[in-house]
């Protein structure tokens, strides 16, 4: 549990904000020096997501998506804008959202809102999103804030909408990273938080072809 490793909640959040302010507004910066894995990541995410967008009675719509912890818009540009009519982005670092406006190019006209906000304080507009995509950012929330945020995401879904988390998973327990002020949870802890938020897991998948030295990465779809 994060309560065991996060000693000071205010410091936990403020230290993370300070860390990201010093990170270059580039794909390599967003990925902690692993910019070369971006295409592998996006291609796997697209395959994972498209299974929910295919024709079926309970097909997830393609009207509007939300990119949480969006940074400069790497996922918005390459995954969400090609599949959805409009996208909203939320990130705690204003410089990243400013950079996104040039990084996204012409297609960026279909980004409706740039929300500068930490996810612990952000509420998706109710009944608005077909997909809420949350990648490499849950480690910056305490367990309680993550559970509460996921509850707000559930309320933000349109009919047949899904919430997707893609993130690093620890082998066991919860590991604190003092450098960027984040935590890495194991699979059981993440599943418990998802259940606590009242969400039901639809699919779970381990990312393949990532470098051996980094954490295992898993993708979850839920509603």
């Amino acid at each position: 549990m994060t309560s065991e490793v996060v000693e000071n909640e205010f410091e936990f959040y403020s230290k993370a904000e300070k860390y990201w302010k010093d990170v270059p507004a580039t794909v390599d910066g967003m990925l902690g020096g692993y910019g070369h894995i971006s295409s592998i990541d996006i291609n796997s995410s697209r395959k994972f997501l498209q299974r929910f967008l295919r024709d079926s009675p309970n097909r997830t719509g393609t009207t509007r998506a939300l990119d949480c912890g969006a940074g400069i818009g790497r996922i918005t540009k390459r995954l969400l804008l090609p599949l959805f009519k409009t996208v909203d982005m939320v990130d705690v670092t204003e410089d990243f959202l400013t950079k996104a406006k040039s990084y996204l190019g012409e297609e960026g006209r279909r980004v409706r809102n740039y929300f500068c906000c930490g996810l612990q304080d952000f509420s998706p507009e109710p009944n608005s999103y077909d997909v809420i995509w949350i990648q490499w950012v849950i480690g910056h929330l305490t367990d309680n804030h993550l559970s509460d945020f996921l509850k707000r995401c559930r309320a933000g879904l349109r009919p047949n909408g899904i919430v997707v988390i893609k993130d690093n998973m620890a082998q066991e327990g919860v590991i604190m990273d003092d450098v960027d002020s984040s935590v890495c949870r194991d699979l059981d802890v993440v599943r418990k938080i998802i259940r606590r938020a009242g969400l039901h897991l639809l699919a779970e998948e381990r990312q393949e072809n990532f470098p051996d030295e980094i954490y295992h990465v898993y993708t979850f779809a839920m509603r």
Side-chain angles (χ1 to χ4, degrees):
M1 302 293 284
T2 53
S3 56
E4 292 165 16
V5 295
V6 176
E7 292 173 11
N8 182 317
E9 195 176 277
F10 175 79
E11 199 174 276
F12 176 67
Y13 286 112
S14 58
K15 195 174 168 187
E17 281 193 46
K18 185 175 181 302
Y19 170 85
W20 285 106
K21 275 185 178 143
D22 293 333
V23 168
T26 62
V27 170
D28 210 43
M30 301 302 97
L31 294 176
Y34 283 87
H36 59 284
I37 68 170
S38 185
S39 290
I40 298 168
D41 168 57
I42 295 289
N43 290 338
S44 297
S45 295
R46 188 181 301 112
K47 281 181 194 159
F48 182 89
L49 187 52
Q50 279 177 329
R51 72 176 84 168
F52 297 98
L53 306 182
R54 290 193 197 111
D55 287 331
S56 76
N58 299 316
R59 184 174 74 86
T60 297
T62 55
T63 301
R64 194 170 168 202
L66 174 64
D67 185 358
C68 299
I72 63 169
R74 181 185 71 91
I75 291 162
T76 290
K77 181 181 178 105
R78 297 192 54 198
L79 177 69
L80 300 177
L81 281 172
L83 294 172
F84 295 88
K85 289 191 180 81
T86 62
V87 178
D88 287 349
M89 294 169 58
V90 54
D91 197 274
V92 75
T93 307
E94 198 167 348
D95 286 351
F96 293 166
L97 295 175
T98 301
K99 172 70 175 180
K101 289 166 187 173
S102 58
Y103 171 73
L104 294 171
E106 278 295 297
E107 291 298 292
R109 288 177 303 174
R110 294 190 290 112
V111 175
R112 293 181 6 140
N113 295 295
Y114 296 87
F115 299 109
C116 188
C117 187
L119 298 183
Q120 70 274 18
D121 300 315
F122 182 73
S123 293
E125 189 184 327
N127 193 36
S128 293
Y129 297 103
D130 297 296
V131 169
I132 296 177
W133 193 274
I134 309 164
Q135 184 161 346
W136 280 322
V137 70
I138 66 167
H140 285 301
L141 298 176
T142 64
D143 291 352
N144 287 340
H145 282 157
L146 177 55
S147 175
D148 290 347
F149 175 61
L150 289 175
K151 286 175 188 169
R152 298 194 298 272
C153 286
R154 191 181 70 191
L157 292 178
R158 287 157 56 92
N160 298 321
I162 57 170
V163 176
V164 178
I165 288 174
K166 186 169 186 177
D167 221 303
N168 301 335
M169 297 294 139
Q171 290 289 339
E172 187 178 356
V174 180
I175 299 165
M176 182 77 189
D177 185 336
D178 282 323
V179 177
D180 67 356
S181 192
S182 69
V183 295
C184 186
R185 303 169 173 92
D186 70 24
L187 281 165
D188 284 343
V189 173
V190 173
R191 290 187 196 115
K192 277 178 194 160
I193 292 169
I194 288 167
R195 283 198 298 272
R196 201 168 107 198
L199 287 159
H200 171 66
L201 262 180
L202 305 172
E204 177 183 312
E205 182 177 283
R206 182 177 161 189
Q207 172 71 49
E208 296 178 347
N209 302 317
F210 269 8
D212 292 337
E213 71 270 17
I214 66 174
Y215 284 116
H216 293 168
V217 172
Y218 278 78
T219 312
F220 307 86
M222 61 208 93
R223 67 164 63 103

